[in-house]
Amino acid sequence: MQGLGSGAAVLRIWEDAAAASPERRGSAIVASATAQPVREIEALPLGRRDRRLLELRRGLFGEAIEARGDCPACAAAVEASFGVGHMLDGDAAASETIDIVHGDLRLTVCAPSAGEIAALTRQYGGDGDADIESVRRALLQSCVVRCQTASGKAADLPEDADAAVAAAVETLDPLAAIALTLTCPHCNAAFETPFDPTDFVWRELATAANRLLWEVDQLARAYSWPEADILALSPTRRRAYLEIAAG
């Protein structure tokens, strides 16, 4: 069986993910790499799904991640290098739910699954045009398993409970919202920038796949080798043959 980082595996995962909608692409990548049904991946809390996505990324491209953010103080582009392990520091809570008190209400909160977030994103716009505030409000409401008064009577979730619910979700699933802390080398301002594992891994995957397709094309033209034989070569051998063919 070919390893996860093989050219054939990269192209297969890229092809499967390319066929998925943007909001489901992260789950599609993990499902393709692990040969699990997408529905099983989407049933995971988002942070746990993204943990698997980042572990997969480490298997494909290595430990180092080159991140970038725009300084809010001077608008300079700030680049920094992190290890995948740095991203995976947050541990999920042992329990699937957490009980909190908000005023005179008792709430039981769960972490949203990757599939729930994808469905809400599509419902409220999707394809990059989602109404973020509507998605956030609907998502927080879906995370509340029970909302009761002190006497045990069911109650409606008040809007001012959003912050408390969001904090509970972060405790349950800390990797659901990754933020990188960067320092601007130009003005020394420290700031946080969000990190989207799906977007990052997908861009790396697409870049690697396009490079592989180019190598296959060039070597097939030069030597009439089939794609499978070219992809079976190590990256070092492919580069060597490309140099010979170009010379």
Side-chain angles (χ1 to χ4, degrees), residues 222-243:
Y223 300 106
S224 299
W225 294 338
E227 181 187 71
D229 288 353
I230 295 171
L231 293 175
L233 296 171
S234 69
T236 302
R237 286 194 178 187
R238 282 199 301 271
R239 284 194 296 269
Y241 279 119
L242 284 167
E243 291 176 3

Side-chain angles (χ1 to χ4, degrees), residues 136-147:
R136 179 179 179 278
R137 176 62 181 164
L139 186 60
L140 290 175
Q141 288 180 323
S142 73
C143 292
V144 178
V145 179
R146 281 187 299 275
C147 178

Side-chain angles (χ1 to χ4, degrees), residues 72-99:
C74 69
V78 179
E79 297 182 352
S81 179
F82 298 89
V84 172
H86 175 84
M87 304 285 183
L88 302 180
D89 284 344
D91 291 324
S95 175
E96 294 185 357
T97 62
I98 189 171
D99 293 325

Side-chain angles (χ1 to χ4, degrees), residues 39 44 50-51 68 84 100 104 122 124 126 145 176 185 196 208:
R39 66 178 181 276
L44 295 171
D50 282 351
R51 174 180 288 276
R68 172 177 171 167
V84 172
I100 62 173
D104 62 350
R122 176 162 290 279
Y124 287 95
V145 179
D196 183 345

Side-chain angles (χ1 to χ4, degrees), residues 175-194:
L175 286 179
I178 301 175
L180 303 178
T181 301
L182 305 179
T183 300
C184 179
H186 303 282
C187 69
N188 293 321
F191 63 98
E192 287 192 342
T193 187

